[in-house]
Amino acid sequence: MKEKAMKKTTNIKDDTFVASSPVFSTVDGPPVMPRNAAIQKANEVNSTRAFSTTTFPLDKSSSDRVAMEVAKQFGGFITSFRPLDDNKWRKRRKAFAQQIAAWLENTDVQLHLRLSGWSQADLDSFELDYAGCLARARKLGGSVNLVPGAILILNRIECLKAFYASDYDWGIMMDDDAVLYEKAQHNSAWRLFPEMAKNGQAAYAEVDVFFPNNPGKPGGGFNAKYVEDPALYAENHVFERNPDLKGSMFIVRNFRKARRHEVLPDPSFTIHGEDTLFATEAIKRGCTVMKCWNINLKELVGERDSHFGGGRFTAMREAHVRIAEMYKGDGLRMRKPYDQSSKTLERKEFYAKCWKARPTKWTTPKP
């Protein structure tokens, strides 16, 4: 593993809890947003971070400065839930170790690990089997918290609270098997974080919540997408409105630090679909939720060993019906409410009421 530069450590409190006016608007505009030169100019003139506006030569000192900026701007918050099924536990702990190793090897993002339902014996054996990777994460500025077992939404809320209380600009919320595809054809991959750090916050003024493309989902064919306009995706970070956020990995702006309303899902929502709930609540609060086409999600655990279990479609329909009921006053509804084979939410009126003039597409040049 590569050696990391010394970096600022962001303190995350240990816990035992269980449990802007847009520059461009393309709501009905062209399929691809124009190059936002105005944002680049504003970034060069107005950024409060001198580092973020400078192009550095490719030497060791500049590499260290980029690493420090990534560690300052991004924090990763991972929930690992200890299942009762021993076979599933063996597979998930192995995937978790692979995930930690991948993030530490490929990024300078500090990792804050919430071990829900783990015992001290689980932690000790994990460290013994996987070369002390938890201690390494902690040494590089992260944290490790043993907490009682709790359902996912409560763990996610605690991770969000810890993030909002930190000094990070962006929080990367993850399950314990999320990494990125990293070959040349996968676009920015792990490089997204230093690229964003060098660009600075002003370059992403209209991006509040974003998540990687999921190649396994319909419409997730990144190769077909990139070939539509190779230069666009090679030269720019490209974000498009998409509420289909997947909880395995998503990135959130620090709303508290930005002096905006913090987005937290309703803790009473104890069924599946907490990721859709978070995206819906964010949009209701006036935030943008977008897919970033420059990164592609890779999950290390297959469907058989996921925490979701069987009956995914039925569970998701139940979740969407409840979410539609929760936000019906904001114009959200089921597209086919009486069709048991449909789980699609109708968001047209919801967007008109809550998205308003926020852009639906956002591009900014890579540094």
Side-chain angles (χ1 to χ4, degrees):
M1 293 186 179
K2 66 181 182 180
E3 290 300 318
K4 305 296 180 99
M6 293 298 293
K7 47 184 114 169
K8 172 185 173 183
T9 298
T10 298
N11 291 323
I12 301 296
K13 181 180 179 182
D14 287 351
D15 65 271
T16 55
F17 181 82
V18 185
S20 97
S21 300
V23 177
F24 296 102
S25 177
T26 60
V27 173
D28 297 306
V32 176
M33 187 174 161
R35 307 277 199 263
N36 29 335
I39 283 294
Q40 281 299 102
K41 184 175 180 181
N43 186 37
E44 293 167 5
V45 173
N46 298 322
S47 176
T48 58
R49 291 185 175 175
F51 169 86
S52 301
T53 65
T54 305
T55 300
F56 297 109
L58 295 176
D59 58 25
K60 184 65 166 63
S61 61
S62 68
S63 176
D64 288 350
R65 294 172 75 181
V66 173
M68 291 177 67
E69 192 69 8
V70 170
K72 182 165 61 175
Q73 291 191 32
F74 292 91
F77 294 79
I78 303 175
T79 293
S80 177
F81 178 79
R82 206 281 196 212
L84 295 177
D85 184 294
D86 287 338
N87 186 51
K88 183 178 290 188
W89 168 235
R90 283 193 297 271
K91 294 179 180 179
R92 293 206 67 93
R93 72 195 292 271
K94 180 180 179 180
F96 185 37
Q98 293 173 330
Q99 177 192 31
I100 296 171
W103 279 88
L104 295 183
E105 177 65 23
N106 292 291
T107 79
D108 295 283
V109 173
Q110 295 173 346
L111 300 179
H112 301 282
L113 310 172
R114 185 176 178 84
L115 311 183
S116 179
W118 286 44
S119 67
Q120 185 63 50
D122 290 330
L123 189 154
D124 293 341
S125 64
F126 185 87
E127 289 290 79
L128 183 64
D129 291 343
Y130 298 110
C133 64
L134 297 177
R136 178 170 171 77
R138 191 161 38 205
K139 181 180 179 181
L140 293 171
S143 64
V144 179
N145 288 306
L146 282 176
V147 299
I151 60 174
L152 177 56
I153 194 166
L154 298 183
N155 283 314
R156 189 81 77 202
I157 287 171
E158 291 307 308
C159 284
L160 285 163
K161 287 180 177 179
F163 162 57
Y164 292 143
S166 77
D167 196 44
Y168 296 120
D169 296 307
W170 298 99
I172 307 168
M173 302 294 142
M174 286 181 277
D175 292 342
D176 56 0
D177 67 336
V179 295
L180 296 175
Y181 282 100
E182 57 191 49
K183 293 183 179 178
Q185 66 265 33
H186 298 131
N187 207 273
S188 287
W190 300 108
R191 295 188 306 277
L192 179 79
F193 307 109
E195 287 170 358
M196 287 185 66
K198 285 191 282 187
N199 267 345
Q201 287 289 295
Y204 306 93
E206 294 292 350
V207 179
D208 293 326
V209 178
F210 68 94
F211 56 95
N213 174 56
N214 182 1
K217 279 197 170 186
F222 55 89
N223 285 328
K225 189 71 173 179
Y226 297 157
V227 81
E228 292 175 4
D229 188 345
L232 174 67
Y233 298 96
E235 299 169 7
N236 299 276
H237 293 155
V238 181
F239 302 85
E240 293 183 338
R241 179 172 72 183
N242 191 319
D244 194 18
L245 178 152
K246 185 171 176 59
S248 299
M249 176 182 170
F250 60 97
I251 298 92
V252 186
R253 180 183 296 281
N254 193 332
F255 297 113
R256 183 185 299 183
K257 188 174 180 181
R259 297 185 177 181
R260 293 172 57 186
H261 191 285
E262 296 170 21
V263 179
L264 291 168
D266 185 340
S268 69
F269 189 92
T270 57
I271 56 178
H272 291 300
E274 84 292 331
D275 42 10
T276 301
L277 176 68
F278 178 84
T280 305
E281 178 66 15
I283 294 170
K284 173 185 170 63
R285 297 291 179 182
C287 303
T288 60
V289 177
M290 298 183 169
K291 177 190 288 189
C292 176
W293 278 103
N294 304 95
I295 49 177
N296 291 278
L297 172 69
K298 181 178 182 179
E299 295 174 290
L300 299 173
V301 174
E303 179 71 22
R304 179 181 299 176
D305 296 300
S306 75
H307 291 305
F308 203 102
R312 175 182 286 271
F313 183 91
T314 300
M316 288 309 302
R317 174 175 165 77
E318 178 189 2
H320 287 185
V321 167
R322 181 169 174 187
I323 290 170
E325 178 65 23
M326 292 169 67
Y327 293 89
K328 64 181 180 181
D330 300 295
L332 192 67
R333 60 183 179 84
M334 295 295 292
R335 183 168 294 175
K336 298 178 179 179
Y338 302 111
D339 184 351
Q340 297 299 313
S341 67
S342 174
K343 63 179 179 62
T344 305
L345 286 163
E346 175 55 65
R347 295 182 172 92
K348 186 174 182 180
E349 185 180 339
F350 180 64
Y351 283 150
K353 184 170 182 178
C354 301
W355 199 280
K356 298 181 180 177
R358 300 297 299 275
T360 58
K361 301 181 188 294
W362 192 255
T363 67
T364 196
K366 296 180 183 181

Tab-separated table of all heavy atoms in Angstrom, residues 94-143:
chain	number	residue	atom	x	y	z
A	94	LYS	N	-15.276	-10.384	4.716
A	94	LYS	CA	-14.223	-10.425	3.696
A	94	LYS	C	-14.375	-9.255	2.724
A	94	LYS	O	-13.385	-8.578	2.388
A	94	LYS	CB	-14.274	-11.743	2.938
A	94	LYS	CG	-13.209	-11.864	1.851
A	94	LYS	CD	-13.310	-13.201	1.121
A	94	LYS	CE	-12.258	-13.292	0.012
A	94	LYS	NZ	-12.348	-14.594	-0.716
A	95	ALA	N	-15.608	-9.003	2.285
A	95	ALA	CA	-15.859	-7.883	1.382
A	95	ALA	C	-15.526	-6.555	2.057
A	95	ALA	O	-14.972	-5.642	1.436
A	95	ALA	CB	-17.314	-7.900	0.926
A	96	PHE	N	-15.857	-6.442	3.340
A	96	PHE	CA	-15.571	-5.218	4.099
A	96	PHE	C	-14.067	-4.962	4.148
A	96	PHE	O	-13.606	-3.830	3.953
A	96	PHE	CB	-16.152	-5.355	5.505
A	96	PHE	CG	-16.042	-4.131	6.355
A	96	PHE	CD1	-16.189	-2.855	5.837
A	96	PHE	CD2	-15.811	-4.251	7.727
A	96	PHE	CE1	-16.102	-1.724	6.643
A	96	PHE	CE2	-15.714	-3.138	8.543
A	96	PHE	CZ	-15.860	-1.871	8.001
A	97	ALA	N	-13.287	-6.001	4.389
A	97	ALA	CA	-11.831	-5.852	4.411
A	97	ALA	C	-11.311	-5.422	3.039
A	97	ALA	O	-10.425	-4.553	2.939
A	97	ALA	CB	-11.175	-7.164	4.837
A	98	GLN	N	-11.866	-5.996	1.986
A	98	GLN	CA	-11.471	-5.606	0.634
A	98	GLN	C	-11.843	-4.150	0.360
A	98	GLN	O	-11.080	-3.414	-0.284
A	98	GLN	CB	-12.142	-6.525	-0.387
A	98	GLN	CG	-11.656	-7.963	-0.343
A	98	GLN	CD	-12.458	-8.874	-1.253
A	98	GLN	OE1	-13.655	-8.652	-1.490
A	98	GLN	NE2	-11.815	-9.903	-1.769
A	99	GLN	N	-13.010	-3.743	0.846
A	99	GLN	CA	-13.445	-2.362	0.661
A	99	GLN	C	-12.487	-1.392	1.351
A	99	GLN	O	-12.045	-0.407	0.746
A	99	GLN	CB	-14.860	-2.175	1.221
A	99	GLN	CG	-15.364	-0.736	1.137
A	99	GLN	CD	-16.639	-0.523	1.945
A	99	GLN	OE1	-16.836	-1.178	2.972
A	99	GLN	NE2	-17.487	0.379	1.494
A	100	ILE	N	-12.169	-1.642	2.610
A	100	ILE	CA	-11.271	-0.758	3.348
A	100	ILE	C	-9.924	-0.675	2.642
A	100	ILE	O	-9.367	0.416	2.448
A	100	ILE	CB	-11.091	-1.245	4.792
A	100	ILE	CG1	-12.420	-1.178	5.552
A	100	ILE	CG2	-10.028	-0.401	5.516
A	100	ILE	CD1	-12.375	-1.852	6.914
A	101	ALA	N	-9.396	-1.828	2.230
A	101	ALA	CA	-8.098	-1.843	1.546
A	101	ALA	C	-8.145	-1.027	0.261
A	101	ALA	O	-7.217	-0.271	-0.044
A	101	ALA	CB	-7.687	-3.283	1.247
A	102	ALA	N	-9.237	-1.143	-0.502
A	102	ALA	CA	-9.353	-0.417	-1.764
A	102	ALA	C	-9.403	1.093	-1.543
A	102	ALA	O	-8.742	1.860	-2.249
A	102	ALA	CB	-10.599	-0.884	-2.521
A	103	TRP	N	-10.177	1.529	-0.543
A	103	TRP	CA	-10.282	2.966	-0.278
A	103	TRP	C	-8.958	3.523	0.247
A	103	TRP	O	-8.546	4.618	-0.135
A	103	TRP	CB	-11.428	3.242	0.703
A	103	TRP	CG	-12.754	3.262	0.015
A	103	TRP	CD1	-13.576	2.196	-0.232
A	103	TRP	CD2	-13.391	4.395	-0.574
A	103	TRP	NE1	-14.682	2.599	-0.927
A	103	TRP	CE2	-14.612	3.945	-1.146
A	103	TRP	CE3	-13.067	5.752	-0.658
A	103	TRP	CZ2	-15.492	4.804	-1.810
A	103	TRP	CZ3	-13.952	6.620	-1.312
A	103	TRP	CH2	-15.137	6.140	-1.876
A	104	LEU	N	-8.281	2.792	1.104
A	104	LEU	CA	-7.011	3.288	1.640
A	104	LEU	C	-5.915	3.277	0.577
A	104	LEU	O	-5.034	4.137	0.581
A	104	LEU	CB	-6.580	2.450	2.842
A	104	LEU	CG	-7.484	2.506	4.074
A	104	LEU	CD1	-6.891	1.671	5.206
A	104	LEU	CD2	-7.717	3.944	4.530
A	105	GLU	N	-5.968	2.309	-0.315
A	105	GLU	CA	-4.940	2.210	-1.358
A	105	GLU	C	-5.132	3.255	-2.444
A	105	GLU	O	-4.167	3.809	-2.974
A	105	GLU	CB	-4.962	0.808	-1.974
A	105	GLU	CG	-3.974	0.612	-3.128
A	105	GLU	CD	-2.525	0.705	-2.705
A	105	GLU	OE1	-2.231	0.496	-1.508
A	105	GLU	OE2	-1.682	0.987	-3.574
A	106	ASN	N	-6.381	3.544	-2.785
A	106	ASN	CA	-6.658	4.367	-3.960
A	106	ASN	C	-7.026	5.812	-3.665
A	106	ASN	O	-7.102	6.620	-4.601
A	106	ASN	CB	-7.788	3.721	-4.774
A	106	ASN	CG	-7.373	2.417	-5.406
A	106	ASN	OD1	-6.559	2.385	-6.320
A	106	ASN	ND2	-7.924	1.313	-4.908
A	107	THR	N	-7.305	6.144	-2.411
A	107	THR	CA	-7.715	7.513	-2.096
A	107	THR	C	-7.048	7.987	-0.809
A	107	THR	O	-6.457	7.205	-0.062
A	107	THR	CB	-9.245	7.634	-1.894
A	107	THR	OG1	-9.598	7.169	-0.578
A	107	THR	CG2	-10.019	6.845	-2.922
A	108	ASP	N	-7.186	9.265	-0.551
A	108	ASP	CA	-6.766	9.863	0.709
A	108	ASP	C	-7.969	10.250	1.561
A	108	ASP	O	-7.853	11.051	2.489
A	108	ASP	CB	-5.886	11.086	0.428
A	108	ASP	CG	-4.583	10.691	-0.250
A	108	ASP	OD1	-3.694	10.184	0.456
A	108	ASP	OD2	-4.466	10.850	-1.478
A	109	VAL	N	-9.124	9.680	1.227
A	109	VAL	CA	-10.346	9.924	1.995
A	109	VAL	C	-10.222	9.231	3.347
A	109	VAL	O	-9.874	8.049	3.430
A	109	VAL	CB	-11.571	9.386	1.234
A	109	VAL	CG1	-12.829	9.476	2.099
A	109	VAL	CG2	-11.762	10.135	-0.082
A	110	GLN	N	-10.506	9.957	4.416
A	110	GLN	CA	-10.485	9.372	5.760
A	110	GLN	C	-11.777	8.586	5.977
A	110	GLN	O	-12.861	9.041	5.620
A	110	GLN	CB	-10.336	10.477	6.809
A	110	GLN	CG	-9.001	11.204	6.710
A	110	GLN	CD	-8.904	12.405	7.620
A	110	GLN	OE1	-9.900	12.885	8.150
A	110	GLN	NE2	-7.694	12.910	7.801
A	111	LEU	N	-11.651	7.396	6.572
A	111	LEU	CA	-12.783	6.491	6.736
A	111	LEU	C	-13.238	6.436	8.188
A	111	LEU	O	-12.431	6.211	9.094
A	111	LEU	CB	-12.403	5.085	6.276
A	111	LEU	CG	-11.970	4.932	4.816
A	111	LEU	CD1	-11.612	3.482	4.520
A	111	LEU	CD2	-13.045	5.430	3.859
A	112	HIS	N	-14.533	6.593	8.409
A	112	HIS	CA	-15.135	6.519	9.731
A	112	HIS	C	-16.104	5.337	9.715
A	112	HIS	O	-17.089	5.331	8.979
A	112	HIS	CB	-15.823	7.835	10.076
A	112	HIS	CG	-14.866	8.985	10.059
A	112	HIS	ND1	-13.988	9.239	11.085
A	112	HIS	CD2	-14.611	9.910	9.092
A	112	HIS	CE1	-13.244	10.286	10.778
A	112	HIS	NE2	-13.590	10.704	9.580
A	113	LEU	N	-15.778	4.325	10.507
A	113	LEU	CA	-16.418	3.026	10.409
A	113	LEU	C	-17.353	2.794	11.592
A	113	LEU	O	-16.939	2.839	12.751
A	113	LEU	CB	-15.344	1.937	10.365
A	113	LEU	CG	-14.225	2.198	9.328
A	113	LEU	CD1	-13.100	1.196	9.481
A	113	LEU	CD2	-14.784	2.190	7.917
A	114	ARG	N	-18.596	2.535	11.292
A	114	ARG	CA	-19.621	2.287	12.309
A	114	ARG	C	-19.940	0.796	12.287
A	114	ARG	O	-20.589	0.296	11.355
A	114	ARG	CB	-20.865	3.125	12.029
A	114	ARG	CG	-21.944	3.014	13.098
A	114	ARG	CD	-23.112	3.956	12.791
A	114	ARG	NE	-24.161	3.821	13.781
A	114	ARG	CZ	-24.188	4.439	14.965
A	114	ARG	NH1	-23.194	5.235	15.290
A	114	ARG	NH2	-25.190	4.269	15.811
A	115	LEU	N	-19.469	0.082	13.288
A	115	LEU	CA	-19.599	-1.362	13.343
A	115	LEU	C	-20.813	-1.711	14.196
A	115	LEU	O	-20.744	-1.804	15.420
A	115	LEU	CB	-18.315	-1.983	13.911
A	115	LEU	CG	-17.003	-1.494	13.266
A	115	LEU	CD1	-15.813	-2.228	13.860
A	115	LEU	CD2	-17.043	-1.646	11.750
A	116	SER	N	-21.924	-1.906	13.522
A	116	SER	CA	-23.209	-2.079	14.198
A	116	SER	C	-23.460	-3.551	14.518
A	116	SER	O	-23.541	-4.397	13.624
A	116	SER	CB	-24.334	-1.541	13.307
A	116	SER	OG	-25.598	-1.715	13.901
A	117	GLY	N	-23.567	-3.857	15.819
A	117	GLY	CA	-23.811	-5.224	16.246
A	117	GLY	C	-22.555	-6.066	16.352
A	117	GLY	O	-22.637	-7.254	16.675
A	118	TRP	N	-21.387	-5.475	16.094
A	118	TRP	CA	-20.125	-6.202	16.268
A	118	TRP	C	-19.792	-6.307	17.752
A	118	TRP	O	-20.037	-5.381	18.531
A	118	TRP	CB	-18.982	-5.454	15.597
A	118	TRP	CG	-18.914	-5.480	14.106
A	118	TRP	CD1	-19.946	-5.319	13.226
A	118	TRP	CD2	-17.726	-5.652	13.323
A	118	TRP	NE1	-19.480	-5.354	11.938
A	118	TRP	CE2	-18.117	-5.568	11.965
A	118	TRP	CE3	-16.388	-5.843	13.626
A	118	TRP	CZ2	-17.200	-5.683	10.917
A	118	TRP	CZ3	-15.478	-5.958	12.595
A	118	TRP	CH2	-15.880	-5.886	11.252
A	119	SER	N	-19.191	-7.420	18.132
A	119	SER	CA	-18.634	-7.550	19.478
A	119	SER	C	-17.154	-7.200	19.431
A	119	SER	O	-16.551	-7.108	18.351
A	119	SER	CB	-18.807	-8.982	19.986
A	119	SER	OG	-17.998	-9.869	19.221
A	120	GLN	N	-16.548	-7.046	20.612
A	120	GLN	CA	-15.113	-6.818	20.656
A	120	GLN	C	-14.364	-8.010	20.075
A	120	GLN	O	-13.341	-7.852	19.390
A	120	GLN	CB	-14.655	-6.558	22.090
A	120	GLN	CG	-13.181	-6.187	22.229
A	120	GLN	CD	-12.836	-4.887	21.517
A	120	GLN	OE1	-13.516	-3.871	21.697
A	120	GLN	NE2	-11.786	-4.900	20.708
A	121	ALA	N	-14.900	-9.210	20.288
A	121	ALA	CA	-14.278	-10.411	19.723
A	121	ALA	C	-14.335	-10.395	18.194
A	121	ALA	O	-13.383	-10.811	17.520
A	121	ALA	CB	-14.966	-11.665	20.262
A	122	ASP	N	-15.461	-9.892	17.631
A	122	ASP	CA	-15.562	-9.759	16.178
A	122	ASP	C	-14.485	-8.818	15.659
A	122	ASP	O	-13.829	-9.094	14.641
A	122	ASP	CB	-16.934	-9.206	15.784
A	122	ASP	CG	-18.070	-10.185	16.001
A	122	ASP	OD1	-17.828	-11.406	15.909
A	122	ASP	OD2	-19.194	-9.718	16.267
A	123	LEU	N	-14.313	-7.696	16.345
A	123	LEU	CA	-13.322	-6.716	15.923
A	123	LEU	C	-11.913	-7.307	16.008
A	123	LEU	O	-11.107	-7.170	15.071
A	123	LEU	CB	-13.427	-5.452	16.781
A	123	LEU	CG	-12.607	-4.226	16.355
A	123	LEU	CD1	-13.261	-2.946	16.856
A	123	LEU	CD2	-11.175	-4.299	16.867
A	124	ASP	N	-11.608	-7.966	17.113
A	124	ASP	CA	-10.262	-8.521	17.306
A	124	ASP	C	-9.937	-9.571	16.242
A	124	ASP	O	-8.833	-9.587	15.687
A	124	ASP	CB	-10.140	-9.134	18.700
A	124	ASP	CG	-10.207	-8.093	19.804
A	124	ASP	OD1	-9.984	-6.892	19.505
A	124	ASP	OD2	-10.491	-8.474	20.957
A	125	SER	N	-10.894	-10.443	15.955
A	125	SER	CA	-10.633	-11.481	14.956
A	125	SER	C	-10.527	-10.889	13.556
A	125	SER	O	-9.744	-11.361	12.725
A	125	SER	CB	-11.728	-12.556	15.004
A	125	SER	OG	-12.990	-12.014	14.649
A	126	PHE	N	-11.294	-9.853	13.290
A	126	PHE	CA	-11.225	-9.164	11.998
A	126	PHE	C	-9.839	-8.558	11.800
A	126	PHE	O	-9.225	-8.714	10.734
A	126	PHE	CB	-12.297	-8.072	11.940
A	126	PHE	CG	-12.395	-7.370	10.613
A	126	PHE	CD1	-13.200	-7.877	9.599
A	126	PHE	CD2	-11.696	-6.194	10.373
A	126	PHE	CE1	-13.299	-7.230	8.367
A	126	PHE	CE2	-11.792	-5.543	9.149
A	126	PHE	CZ	-12.595	-6.064	8.150
A	127	GLU	N	-9.319	-7.897	12.818
A	127	GLU	CA	-7.990	-7.294	12.736
A	127	GLU	C	-6.910	-8.358	12.552
A	127	GLU	O	-5.947	-8.156	11.797
A	127	GLU	CB	-7.696	-6.475	13.993
A	127	GLU	CG	-8.503	-5.188	14.096
A	127	GLU	CD	-8.071	-4.155	13.065
A	127	GLU	OE1	-8.488	-4.296	11.886
A	127	GLU	OE2	-7.316	-3.233	13.400
A	128	LEU	N	-7.088	-9.475	13.223
A	128	LEU	CA	-6.114	-10.560	13.106
A	128	LEU	C	-6.132	-11.166	11.701
A	128	LEU	O	-5.080	-11.429	11.107
A	128	LEU	CB	-6.420	-11.642	14.141
A	128	LEU	CG	-5.445	-12.827	14.212
A	128	LEU	CD1	-4.054	-12.348	14.643
A	128	LEU	CD2	-5.970	-13.879	15.184
A	129	ASP	N	-7.323	-11.356	11.163
A	129	ASP	CA	-7.451	-11.988	9.846
A	129	ASP	C	-7.063	-11.061	8.701
A	129	ASP	O	-6.621	-11.524	7.645
A	129	ASP	CB	-8.890	-12.466	9.622
A	129	ASP	CG	-9.268	-13.631	10.516
A	129	ASP	OD1	-8.352	-14.271	11.074
A	129	ASP	OD2	-10.480	-13.890	10.664
A	130	TYR	N	-7.230	-9.748	8.902
A	130	TYR	CA	-7.040	-8.807	7.797
A	130	TYR	C	-6.009	-7.728	8.106
A	130	TYR	O	-6.176	-6.552	7.766
A	130	TYR	CB	-8.391	-8.196	7.394
A	130	TYR	CG	-9.356	-9.241	6.892
A	130	TYR	CD1	-10.471	-9.601	7.639
A	130	TYR	CD2	-9.127	-9.903	5.693
A	130	TYR	CE1	-11.351	-10.583	7.198
A	130	TYR	CE2	-10.005	-10.888	5.237
A	130	TYR	CZ	-11.103	-11.216	5.990
A	130	TYR	OH	-11.963	-12.190	5.544
A	131	ALA	N	-4.916	-8.146	8.734
A	131	ALA	CA	-3.696	-7.332	8.862
A	131	ALA	C	-3.937	-5.966	9.497
A	131	ALA	O	-3.318	-4.975	9.101
A	131	ALA	CB	-3.046	-7.164	7.489
A	132	GLY	N	-4.855	-5.914	10.456
A	132	GLY	CA	-5.061	-4.671	11.191
A	132	GLY	C	-5.570	-3.522	10.341
A	132	GLY	O	-5.187	-2.369	10.556
A	133	CYS	N	-6.471	-3.805	9.387
A	133	CYS	CA	-6.906	-2.733	8.475
A	133	CYS	C	-7.747	-1.674	9.180
A	133	CYS	O	-7.738	-0.509	8.786
A	133	CYS	CB	-7.636	-3.303	7.269
A	133	CYS	SG	-9.173	-4.144	7.596
A	134	LEU	N	-8.455	-2.039	10.250
A	134	LEU	CA	-9.206	-1.029	10.999
A	134	LEU	C	-8.247	-0.054	11.683
A	134	LEU	O	-8.474	1.164	11.683
A	134	LEU	CB	-10.104	-1.693	12.034
A	134	LEU	CG	-11.206	-2.624	11.502
A	134	LEU	CD1	-11.959	-3.251	12.667
A	134	LEU	CD2	-12.169	-1.876	10.591
A	135	ALA	N	-7.183	-0.583	12.261
A	135	ALA	CA	-6.189	0.281	12.895
A	135	ALA	C	-5.520	1.185	11.877
A	135	ALA	O	-5.219	2.351	12.160
A	135	ALA	CB	-5.139	-0.577	13.613
A	136	ARG	N	-5.298	0.664	10.678
A	136	ARG	CA	-4.689	1.488	9.627
A	136	ARG	C	-5.619	2.634	9.235
A	136	ARG	O	-5.185	3.770	9.056
A	136	ARG	CB	-4.360	0.632	8.408
A	136	ARG	CG	-3.763	1.437	7.267
A	136	ARG	CD	-3.211	0.574	6.165
A	136	ARG	NE	-2.832	1.351	5.007
A	136	ARG	CZ	-1.719	2.078	4.907
A	136	ARG	NH1	-0.874	2.118	5.916
A	136	ARG	NH2	-1.456	2.772	3.814
A	137	ALA	N	-6.911	2.350	9.106
A	137	ALA	CA	-7.869	3.410	8.783
A	137	ALA	C	-7.856	4.485	9.859
A	137	ALA	O	-7.904	5.685	9.571
A	137	ALA	CB	-9.268	2.819	8.626
A	138	ARG	N	-7.786	4.046	11.119
A	138	ARG	CA	-7.759	4.994	12.238
A	138	ARG	C	-6.464	5.820	12.221
A	138	ARG	O	-6.479	7.022	12.459
A	138	ARG	CB	-7.908	4.228	13.544
A	138	ARG	CG	-8.168	5.097	14.766
A	138	ARG	CD	-8.757	4.282	15.906
A	138	ARG	NE	-8.154	2.957	15.984
A	138	ARG	CZ	-8.762	1.898	16.524
A	138	ARG	NH1	-9.980	2.019	16.997
A	138	ARG	NH2	-8.146	0.746	16.595
A	139	LYS	N	-5.343	5.163	11.917
A	139	LYS	CA	-4.046	5.842	11.881
A	139	LYS	C	-4.026	6.940	10.818
A	139	LYS	O	-3.356	7.976	10.980
A	139	LYS	CB	-2.943	4.820	11.605
A	139	LYS	CG	-1.534	5.407	11.565
A	139	LYS	CD	-0.510	4.313	11.295
A	139	LYS	CE	0.901	4.906	11.222
A	139	LYS	NZ	1.909	3.843	10.932
A	140	LEU	N	-4.755	6.735	9.734
A	140	LEU	CA	-4.784	7.697	8.641
A	140	LEU	C	-5.866	8.751	8.817
A	140	LEU	O	-6.237	9.435	7.859
A	140	LEU	CB	-4.959	6.962	7.309
A	140	LEU	CG	-3.769	6.078	6.912
A	140	LEU	CD1	-4.104	5.233	5.703
A	140	LEU	CD2	-2.538	6.934	6.654
A	141	GLY	N	-6.373	8.901	10.032
A	141	GLY	CA	-7.303	9.982	10.325
A	141	GLY	C	-8.741	9.574	10.478
A	141	GLY	O	-9.609	10.420	10.716
A	142	GLY	N	-9.031	8.286	10.358
A	142	GLY	CA	-10.402	7.834	10.484
A	142	GLY	C	-10.772	7.475	11.906
A	142	GLY	O	-10.069	7.808	12.861
A	143	SER	N	-11.881	6.784	12.070
A	143	SER	CA	-12.344	6.369	13.394
A	143	SER	C	-13.074	5.041	13.277
A	143	SER	O	-13.555	4.672	12.207
A	143	SER	CB	-13.268	7.428	14.011
A	143	SER	OG	-14.455	7.583	13.233
